[in-house]
Amino acid sequence: MGFSFRQLRVFAAAAQELHFGNAAETLGMQQPPFSQALQKLEADLGVRLLTRSAQGVALTEQGARLLPLTQQILHLEETLMEEARRVPSVPRQIRFGCPPELARPIIFDIISAVSAKGVSVEFTTRPTRQIIQDLRQGELDVGVITAPAVITNLTPGPVVKFAVTLRSVPGTKYHYGSVSSAQELRQVIDRPLALAPRSSSPAFHDLLVDTLKQHGAFHGVSSFDDADAAVASVVQGKHQILSIAATSDQAGLARIIIDPSLLPYRFQLVTGPTPSSDASMVMTTASACMNEWARK
């Protein structure tokens, strides 16, 4: 036995109209499938519910006994659906990972824009290498990674290129301003850079170092797991630091914007192998936010 609400509605309509054509019309059905649904219900229940003769349609004794119960069941179905509509829906949630190199103001804008579309964001900061691993293992839905990176078996999204700011102690030739040539870059970078550990994003780290060497502006790098510790070292004059130009705000430090063509500072949106519609939406929204910041 496996009757459906649809079959019960057919029986209730036929019992009310006592005319198969009229009953089928009230349910928006053609008469043949209407009759078939009623026959299937009678077969499932093992009783005859209605008789059809030249005098018309009539309820059988069994049909008359089962009709009130059928109406109760259909009423309960309506009540259940109404109550379900009142129950708050389960919030849609996306697990979103970003590397420490992506500035917090940008991340907050992304979260705000995604939340405005009805999706809750479970945010975490992780190194690029860990984000890629977690996306592959299904522990994250969407990630922002430093580029380039090896993202085999993941779904690549847009790449966003940012201008870079060099932060240093005051006293450099270009305390505030910009540089657009390798010669100028060599003049403003005069000590080791404070970077995240190479293990967090090997390809990005190596490309940055190789580019600095090509420009003759490489004075070594030091690894820092803690961003505040890196800034403290810059304040002491031991290192210089690179950050996204639009969000650089370390007070008291020289601020030199480096032309994007001189140094690679790119981020890529990535999802798992088979992204959900929400994950795709988050990737598109995040890309729009990041591009807006990149234009500043």
Side-chain angles (χ1 to χ4, degrees):
M1 183 183 299
F3 59 84
S4 64
F5 285 117
R6 176 174 177 270
Q7 291 169 335
L8 294 180
R9 284 192 288 273
V10 165
F11 170 45
Q16 179 176 342
E17 297 291 335
L18 294 178
H19 187 284
F20 281 12
N22 293 344
E25 187 175 347
T26 63
L27 297 180
M29 298 176 63
Q30 297 295 320
Q31 188 168 332
F34 180 93
S35 299
Q36 293 168 7
L38 182 61
Q39 292 168 5
K40 179 67 166 57
L41 177 62
E42 289 177 328
D44 288 339
L45 294 175
V47 297
R48 188 74 181 273
L49 300 172
L50 294 155
T51 60
R52 189 175 184 181
S53 64
Q55 287 73 37
V57 177
L59 280 166
T60 64
E61 181 180 350
Q62 296 94 330
R65 290 181 60 183
L66 293 177
L67 179 61
L69 182 58
T70 297
Q71 292 169 332
Q72 289 178 33
I73 293 172
L74 292 174
H75 177 70
L76 286 173
E77 180 200 15
E78 293 178 5
T79 303
L80 175 64
M81 295 302 295
E82 290 176 3
E83 191 63 27
R85 284 190 285 269
R86 295 191 187 100
V87 175
S89 59
V90 177
R92 296 148 61 196
Q93 188 172 68
I94 285 291
R95 298 162 299 173
F96 183 54
C98 292
E101 293 88 351
L102 189 67
R104 289 304 177 97
I106 300 176
I107 295 170
F108 295 152
D109 268 6
I110 293 172
I111 293 174
S112 177
V114 171
S115 298
K117 297 186 177 183
V119 176
S120 174
V121 178
E122 181 184 331
F123 170 74
T124 183
T125 300
R126 306 177 187 182
T128 286
R129 193 171 188 174
Q130 186 66 47
I131 290 172
I132 293 172
Q133 179 179 330
D134 291 343
L135 284 167
R136 287 182 177 140
Q137 294 177 350
E139 296 178 11
L140 286 176
D141 302 302
V142 183
V144 177
I145 60 173
T146 53
V150 178
I151 54 172
T152 309
N153 298 326
L154 296 177
T155 303
V159 175
V160 181
K161 189 175 185 178
F162 287 92
V164 182
T165 290
L166 177 74
R167 305 314 301 258
S168 183
V169 290
T172 55
K173 181 177 180 181
Y174 299 89
H175 186 89
Y176 288 95
S178 61
V179 298
S180 57
S181 70
Q183 180 180 356
E184 292 174 335
L185 190 65
R186 288 192 292 270
Q187 292 176 350
V188 297
I189 298 182
D190 58 6
R191 65 202 69 192
L193 291 178
L195 299 178
R198 180 184 180 277
S199 60
S200 67
S201 183
F204 173 79
H205 182 282
D206 292 347
L207 178 60
L208 181 61
V209 168
D210 288 345
T211 303
L212 289 169
K213 289 179 178 179
Q214 290 171 10
H215 293 320
F218 182 70
H219 298 277
V221 298
S222 296
S223 297
F224 286 84
D225 290 308
D226 187 293
D228 291 335
V231 173
S233 181
V234 174
V235 171
Q236 296 174 69
K238 298 177 181 178
H239 295 87
Q240 294 172 305
I241 195 169
L242 296 172
S243 57
I244 294 174
T247 62
S248 298
D249 59 359
Q250 288 94 350
L253 295 180
R255 180 177 187 271
I256 305 112
I257 298 177
I258 300 172
D259 189 281
S261 64
L262 290 175
L263 283 182
Y265 222 75
R266 296 187 293 269
F267 295 86
Q268 184 169 19
L269 277 300
V270 186
T271 67
T274 53
S276 66
S277 59
D278 279 345
S280 297
M281 180 276 291
V282 170
M283 185 161 65
T284 301
T285 303
S287 174
C289 289
M290 292 167 64
N291 275 297
E292 184 175 345
W293 274 96
R295 288 190 292 268
K296 292 184 179 181

